[in-house]
């Protein structure tokens, strides 16, 4: 037995050339997480000029960006990055 969680199911169709990035900033206290300058918009802004790169490189970039501490007191929690890139029709 383990913790039970309910998740809402979503559907997203990617067109050729589109990229989907999903991330979890990790398990850190809410007040620390709220202080992070890298939110969804910040991650997207950092990656958007590199979308021509292979998915593996984009995922590595996202992981590296999420490793940056927001402040000296921020703890580095677990990070999860999932990147899907549709390359053809």
């Amino acid at each position: 037995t383990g913790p039970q969680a309910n998740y809402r199911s979503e559907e997203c169709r990617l067109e050729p050339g589109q990229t989907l990035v999903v991330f979890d900033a990790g398990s850190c206290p809410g007040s620390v997480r709220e202080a992070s300058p890298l939110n969804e918009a910040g991650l997207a802004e950092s990656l958007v000029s590199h979308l021509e790169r292979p998915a593996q490189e984009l995922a590595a970039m996202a992981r590296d960006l999420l490793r940056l501490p927001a402040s000296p007191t921020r703890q580095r929690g677990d990070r999860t990055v999932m990147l899907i890139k549709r390359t053809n029709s």
Side-chain angles (χ1 to χ4, degrees), residues 14-21 50-58 82-88:
L14 296 179
E15 298 300 325
Q18 290 185 318
T19 302
L20 172 69
V21 180
H50 303 283
L51 294 179
E52 77 287 350
R53 294 185 182 196
Q56 189 173 8
E57 286 183 29
L58 288 170
M82 178 178 72
L83 187 135
I84 301 169
K85 183 174 185 174
R86 183 164 178 193
T87 57
N88 57 22

Side-chain angles (χ1 to χ4, degrees), residues 25-89:
S27 54
C28 55
S31 60
V32 174
R33 183 178 298 174
E34 290 166 6
S36 174
L38 188 68
N39 56 17
E40 292 90 347
L43 183 61
E45 186 176 308
S46 298
L47 295 176
V48 75
S49 62
H50 303 283
L51 294 179
E52 77 287 350
R53 294 185 182 196
Q56 189 173 8
E57 286 183 29
L58 288 170
M61 288 176 65
R63 284 192 306 270
D64 289 345
L65 289 165
L66 291 169
R67 283 190 193 117
L68 295 174
S71 70
T73 59
R74 180 171 180 180
Q75 297 183 11
R76 297 172 187 237
D78 294 335
R79 307 297 198 272
T80 301
V81 176
M82 178 178 72
L83 187 135
I84 301 169
K85 183 174 185 174
R86 183 164 178 193
T87 57
N88 57 22
S89 53

